[in-house]
């Protein structure tokens, strides 16, 4: 296909699907049939999903699983998790049960401040700009008061506005840096609306101030946007028990387990290659709850990875200590989450997830999500330093392999029983499957993704 399609977004949904199917698929009718199979049976529900984004042609399913037994600050939660990776929910549930009898998870919100910037260029003298900014500072608040009224009524709003000189890094570059409290909303729209208003106020005060040399009464606003890096919207979660209580089931002595676990965390603290995978595992737990609760996992990931690099070297988001016979394991990460607004008021499954969690505030949700990340990391490290990760992972992945092979119920039962006491290896599953069907074993011709 080489030609461009113009006005695609204006086409009806049916016309979009027709175009897509006939231009991209060998069997257009089969493609159309498949797309429509994933439509919701209630037209009203489907319309809701269609309108989340542009050019919706169908829905994309992710499993919505639940991980029970999360004791957090003494209260027990069942976590909603939307994720495709086979072993994540199982690992979360296992870690939750492990810590249930060892005091559960403790979590606290350290801070909830969010930040945004007006990035602008100014060619005049900084002292004059600064003088005018300080003199007119209140105007930024009053000019934005229409936007902030509701947020102020809920206890939030603009906390601080500063002028920052960035000219050492880039000639003429300055910022208005503003801090916000957005209560239970993630706050992106609120922050961006305030920043757009601040930019207008800035241009206005510079244009009309006598203190400024008439030749320099103009600022060039480049961007007005929140920052997804929120190091002051921070949460901490931890677990703690005596080393003797660390009986984890593989037969390893608790003190050896504690020492190996601590060593694994240390390696992630000092080695970016390992830290990346280590933190990826943390985000398995974080993202699954963030997605299920209708929050922006890209924003959460971006903030987490920047935070993990704050020393100048990418490092682990979790830490561990073993001192005086006590094992401690904790996470600290920025989480800008909302429990009102956005998808939380729209998506039926998101609403259900919030109800499942007892309608948490944004701070409650920060604690729950941080705990999910910590639990996931505990589960991964526990497997890594004992039996290895493949045993548990492949056990769950077995069903995916059987689905790829289109095994019958009978065959599934037999193969699952066969692997009950063995480590699952893709080729071995195929070999067993072929043997059951009386087929020659042909691994190369079998579709795989393992
Ligand atoms: C897999 O999705 C995540 C792990 O690789 C995390 C880790 O290695 O810590 C198991």
């Amino acid at each position: 296909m080489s030609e461009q399609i113009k006005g695609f977004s204006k086409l009806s949904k049916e016309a979009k699907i027709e175009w897509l199917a006939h231009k991209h698929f060998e069997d257009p009718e089969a493609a159309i049939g498949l797309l429509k199979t994933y439509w919701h049976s209630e037209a009203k529900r489907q319309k809701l999903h269609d309108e989340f984004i542009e050019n919706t042609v169908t829905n994309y399913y992710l499993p919505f699983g639940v991980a029970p037994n999360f004791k957090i600050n003494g209260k027990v939660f069942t976590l909603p998790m939307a994720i495709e990776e086979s072993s994540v929910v199982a690992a979360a549930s296992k870690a939750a049960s492990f810590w249930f009898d060892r005091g559960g998870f403790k979590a606290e919100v350290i801070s909830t401040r969010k930040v945004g910037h007006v990035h602008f260029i100014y060619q005049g003298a900084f002292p004059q700009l600064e003088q005018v900014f300080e003199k007119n500072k209140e105007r930024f608040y009053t000019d934005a008061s229409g936007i902030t009224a509701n947020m102020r009524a809920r206890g939030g709003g603009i906390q601080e506005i500063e002028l920052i000189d960035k000219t050492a890094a880039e000639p003429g570059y300055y910022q208005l840096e503003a801090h916000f409290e957005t209560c239970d909303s993630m706050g992106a729209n609120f922050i961006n609306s305030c920043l757009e208003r601040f930019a207008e106020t800035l241009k206005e005060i510079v244009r009309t101030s006598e203190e400024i040399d008439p030749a320099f009464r103009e600022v060039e606003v480049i961007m007005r946007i929140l920052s997804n890096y929120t190091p002051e919207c921070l949460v901490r979660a931890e677990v703690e028990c005596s080393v003797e209580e660390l009986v984890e089931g593989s037969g390893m002595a608790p003190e050896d387990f504690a020492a190996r676990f601590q060593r694994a965390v240390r390696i992630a603290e000092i080695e970016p290659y390992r830290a990346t995978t280590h933190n990826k595992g943390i985000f398995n737990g974080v993202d699954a709850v963030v997605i299920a609760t209708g929050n922006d996992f890209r924003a959460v990931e971006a903030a987490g990875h920047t935070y993990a690099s704050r020393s100048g070297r990418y490092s682990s988001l979790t830490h561990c200590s073993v001192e005086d016979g006590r094992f401690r394991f904790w996470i600290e990460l920025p989480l800008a989450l909302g429990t009102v607004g956005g998808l939380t008021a729209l998506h039926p499954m998101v609403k259900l997830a919030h109800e499942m969690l007892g309608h948490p505030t944004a701070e409650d949700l920060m604690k729950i999500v941080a705990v999910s990340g910590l639990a996931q990391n505990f589960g991964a490290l526990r497997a890594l330093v004992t039996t290895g990760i493949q045993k548990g992972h492949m056990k769950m992945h077995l069903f995916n392999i059987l689905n790829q092979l289109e095994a019958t119920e009978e065959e599934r039962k037999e193969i699952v029983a066969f692997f009950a006491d063995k480590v699952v290896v893709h080729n071995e599953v195929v070999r067993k499957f072929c043997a059951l069907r009386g087929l020659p074993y042909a691994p190369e011709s079998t579709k795989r993704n393992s």
Side-chain angles (χ1 to χ4, degrees):
M1 212 178 61
S2 55
E3 81 276 27
Q4 182 188 12
I5 177 159
K6 295 241 165 75
F8 182 72
S9 67
K10 307 263 177 338
L11 297 179
S12 69
K13 186 171 165 185
E14 284 292 342
K16 283 175 191 154
I17 291 176
E18 284 293 321
W19 175 84
L20 183 72
H22 288 98
K23 292 280 182 193
H24 298 79
F25 301 102
E26 257 172 46
D27 184 347
E29 291 317 313
I32 293 171
L34 184 65
L35 289 172
K36 292 191 174 177
T37 313
Y38 283 86
W39 284 6
H40 200 284
S41 55
E42 281 175 43
K44 203 171 136 215
R45 286 260 159 97
Q46 186 52 52
K47 189 161 179 294
L48 179 75
H49 284 77
D50 287 352
E51 290 176 357
F52 286 151
I53 61 167
E54 194 167 69
N55 298 344
T56 309
V57 290
T58 191
N59 308 308
Y60 181 92
Y61 287 8
L62 270 186
F64 181 102
V66 297
N69 298 323
F70 271 89
K71 194 193 275 179
I72 306 175
N73 296 341
K75 202 169 154 192
V76 181
F77 295 88
T78 300
L79 302 199
M81 303 184 90
I83 189 159
E84 87 301 342
E85 191 174 324
S86 326
S87 52
V88 170
V89 177
S93 306
K94 212 170 151 192
S97 293
F98 182 89
W99 286 105
F100 195 94
D101 301 325
R102 293 166 176 83
F105 297 84
K106 309 269 181 304
E108 62 167 329
V109 169
I110 296 166
S111 50
T112 58
R113 230 152 91 116
K114 290 163 189 157
V115 63
H117 299 93
V118 177
H119 301 271
F120 67 96
I121 303 295
Y122 180 65
Q123 303 297 358
F126 178 62
Q128 286 178 5
L129 181 67
E130 193 175 31
Q131 190 189 351
V132 165
F133 170 74
E134 289 301 336
K135 187 171 151 199
N136 292 281
K137 206 167 183 177
E138 270 315 299
R139 261 196 68 181
F140 288 95
Y141 293 84
T142 46
D143 287 0
S145 62
I147 302 167
T148 59
N150 284 346
M151 194 62 86
R152 280 183 285 123
R154 280 152 52 195
I158 307 160
Q159 293 184 326
E160 209 181 339
I161 310 173
E162 286 172 84
L163 174 67
I164 300 183
D165 181 353
K166 302 290 283 185
T167 53
E170 174 74 12
Y173 173 35
Y174 298 89
Q175 297 173 341
L176 285 184
E177 179 172 281
H179 295 271
F180 303 88
E181 171 55 58
T182 62
C183 304
D184 283 334
S185 64
M186 194 270 193
N189 285 332
F190 170 74
I191 294 173
N192 289 336
S193 299
C194 288
L195 294 169
E196 293 196 0
R197 182 62 252 181
F198 296 163
E200 293 312 307
T201 304
L202 175 70
K203 285 196 270 189
E204 177 73 11
I205 60 173
V206 171
R207 193 172 55 77
T208 55
S209 287
E210 296 288 307
E211 294 88 338
I212 291 197
D213 183 330
F216 296 108
R217 291 207 181 141
E218 213 179 303
V219 295
E220 186 193 352
V221 171
I222 305 290
M223 291 176 287
R224 305 144 297 171
I225 187 73
L226 91 171
S227 174
N228 284 121
Y229 183 40
T230 53
E232 292 182 283
C233 190
L234 204 62
V235 57
R236 180 188 157 100
E238 63 186 37
V239 284
E240 179 185 350
C241 70
S242 68
V243 169
E244 301 96 80
E245 284 178 280
L246 285 176
V247 179
E248 46 67 52
S250 75
M252 191 179 283
E255 55 277 16
D256 292 343
F257 173 69
R260 285 173 64 79
F261 192 101
Q262 189 189 16
R263 182 78 79 191
V265 175
R266 182 75 194 127
I267 290 170
E269 285 170 341
I270 59 167
E271 168 53 62
Y273 277 99
R274 174 56 203 153
T276 306
T277 317
H278 178 98
N279 289 346
K280 186 275 182 188
I282 292 173
F283 281 105
N284 279 345
V286 167
D287 287 353
V289 181
V290 167
I291 294 172
T293 56
N295 276 281
D296 182 344
F297 66 96
R298 286 87 55 206
V300 164
E301 289 247 2
H305 294 302
T306 310
Y307 192 71
S309 314
R310 68 194 182 286
S311 70
R313 181 179 63 195
Y314 188 82
S315 178
S316 169
L317 288 166
T318 55
H319 307 282
C320 176
S321 73
V322 183
E323 271 165 30
D324 303 328
R326 302 292 297 169
F327 172 87
R328 288 189 185 85
F329 180 49
W330 68 96
I331 186 167
E332 205 181 83
L333 86 165
L335 283 174
L337 302 175
T339 55
V340 298
L343 271 199
T344 59
L346 283 175
H347 197 301
M349 293 311 297
V350 168
K351 287 199 220 170
L352 186 117
H354 282 261
E355 188 174 344
M356 230 173 94
L357 292 172
H359 298 293
T361 62
E363 290 198 22
D364 294 337
L365 190 59
M366 286 169 76
K367 294 177 204 167
I368 292 166
V369 170
V371 163
S372 180
L374 184 71
Q376 203 58 232
N377 192 223
F378 179 79
L381 294 182
R382 173 162 81 162
L384 282 168
V385 302
T386 57
T387 53
I389 207 75
Q390 284 307 84
K391 191 167 170 231
H393 183 72
M394 291 305 285
K395 195 168 146 209
M396 298 306 297
H397 191 56
L398 176 59
F399 295 107
N400 290 340
I401 303 174
L402 293 174
N403 284 335
Q404 279 169 16
L405 294 169
E406 295 178 4
T408 64
E409 267 319 302
E410 280 295 290
E411 290 163 343
R412 287 166 74 95
K413 265 193 210 141
E414 207 157 318
I415 295 173
V416 168
F418 179 78
F419 282 99
D421 56 355
K422 299 178 187 65
V423 175
V424 176
V425 178
H426 190 284
N427 281 352
E428 292 309 315
V429 179
V430 178
R431 192 191 300 279
K432 179 73 188 161
F433 172 80
C434 290
L436 281 180
R437 286 213 173 169
L439 298 169
Y441 168 57
E444 295 318 314
S445 63
T446 313
K447 282 183 281 169
R448 68 185 59 189
N449 180 23
S450 57

